[in-house]
Amino acid sequence: MFEKIIEEVKNANNIYVSGHINPDGDSIGSTFAVYLALKKMGKDVKPILTKYSKTFSFLPFINEAKDHVEEEKYDLLICVDSSSKERIAIGEEGFSKANRTVLIDHHVKDKDYVDVSVVDQELPAASELVYNFINELNVEIDENIASFLYMGIMTDTGSFNYSSTKPSTYMIAAKLIEAGADFSYICKMINDTMSEGKLYLIKSAIERMEKYYDSMVRYTFIDYKTISSYDVDDEDAEGMTNYLRAVSGTEVAIYVREKSTGELKVSMRSGGKVDIADVAMKFGGGGHKRAAGFTMNIDGSTYEEEKKKLLDYIGVKLNDDFAG
Ligand code: AMP
Ligand code: MN
Ligand code: MN
């Protein structure tokens, strides 16, 4: 499956690996798994990581990451878990310095921005594909690689609970545990640890919740002033959709948060009836059927107008999807 990418790896020495900006567990997990595997092959390889949540600072090797390309040119860029060129952590300049580019991903494919890609939209995590890639490379999956891949799979499957989870996902998780993945510690550090500020942020998100379409749509907005007053970083202010969508009858949960830059990040989750990858793409973003997002563009309009456009469009989709 990965022959072409493996050929590219064989022909390259100076390699960068990059996930997406605002990285989640799958982005970081797949980036570092590829990084460690290629290092074992003797490649001159560097992982790229831009601003990330404090949640991930416990991870080994994380300090080895670069946030930009140091060379004028390099041989190969391996992109993982990155649905579009605009969202790649390595940035436009870093991307353009690559002689060749490849992608290993599981997002709804918008357009091809690399020379060679392996994309499987059916898989719940890029880390699952990367597991297969590393096996095909014939590199032994040691406990560090296993831990990164396990983290990627665990986070993107909601701890193996999302419907995207496949029998193969469990099978690979078993192999990773066999290889020494520190699954219990990873779960504790990622799923069961939060700052006090984050707890207050959750309270605010719930207090500000709005309901639309017979409460099938739940919406909350948090401004940056509130987020920073709780001493929560941009990256740590994620995940509020989880609470909204947990309420029974919710079809779409929407969380809009103002970033320190003033940008409005829209995060959406669907119960399954509405394809929100389509919604996100209409508004210039992307993602998966049940988890998608975009940056709200309020140039030439207002937040209220854009919010209404989004809710109206989702209303139409709700009607369509129920009728269909
Ligand atoms: P999030 O709500 O940030 O967890 O994002 C959920 C999914 O939506 C991710 O897997 C991303 O692929 C996708 N996504 C979020 N924001 C954007 C964006 N601005 N552009 C494209 N895809 C996005
Ligand atoms: Mn991701
Ligand atoms: Mn992913």
Side-chain angles (χ1 to χ4, degrees), residues 85-237:
K85 195 173 170 183
E86 293 73 42
R87 283 182 34 93
I88 293 190
I90 204 163
E92 213 173 302
E93 195 187 334
F95 188 95
S96 67
K97 289 176 171 176
N99 184 33
R100 300 282 294 168
T101 55
V102 304
L103 168 70
I104 301 173
D105 190 26
H106 71 124
H107 288 89
V108 176
K109 207 167 170 182
D110 189 6
K111 50 189 176 295
D112 236 336
Y113 60 87
V114 291
D115 298 315
V116 184
S117 64
V118 172
V119 176
D120 187 342
Q121 293 175 17
E122 295 301 311
L123 291 183
S127 295
E128 185 170 335
L129 262 178
V130 167
Y131 171 87
N132 294 324
F133 170 59
I134 295 175
N135 271 336
E136 265 191 56
L137 272 176
N138 266 325
V139 173
E140 192 205 350
I141 296 189
D142 59 29
E143 60 202 46
N144 290 316
I145 297 176
S147 289
F148 275 111
L149 292 176
Y150 185 90
M151 174 182 76
I153 292 172
M154 183 195 82
T155 50
D156 257 22
T157 58
S159 300
F160 306 91
N161 289 308
Y162 298 159
S163 59
S164 53
T165 308
K166 302 271 177 307
S168 62
T169 317
Y170 278 97
M171 234 101 76
I172 289 171
K175 293 275 184 208
L176 294 174
I177 290 172
E178 214 166 48
D182 206 350
F183 61 96
S184 167
Y185 179 61
I186 293 168
C187 177
K188 161 83 188 133
M189 294 306 282
I190 292 180
N191 291 347
D192 289 342
T193 307
M194 73 166 93
S195 64
E196 190 183 54
K198 174 92 179 229
L199 191 64
Y200 282 114
L201 188 66
I202 295 168
K203 177 175 173 262
S204 295
I206 296 167
E207 269 171 0
R208 295 175 192 191
M209 179 179 71
E210 301 164 22
K211 298 175 267 188
Y212 301 93
Y213 306 111
D214 290 330
S215 300
M216 283 190 288
V217 176
R218 290 172 189 272
Y219 182 104
T220 195
F221 169 79
I222 304 194
D223 57 289
Y224 181 67
K225 213 170 138 223
T226 302
I227 293 171
S228 58
S229 76
Y230 295 136
D231 197 25
V232 174
D233 289 350
D234 261 356
E235 295 73 20
D236 265 332

Side-chain angles (χ1 to χ4, degrees), residues 24 26 81 106-107 124-126 156 288:
D24 50 25
D26 188 32
D81 195 40
H106 71 124
H107 288 89
D156 257 22
H288 314 268

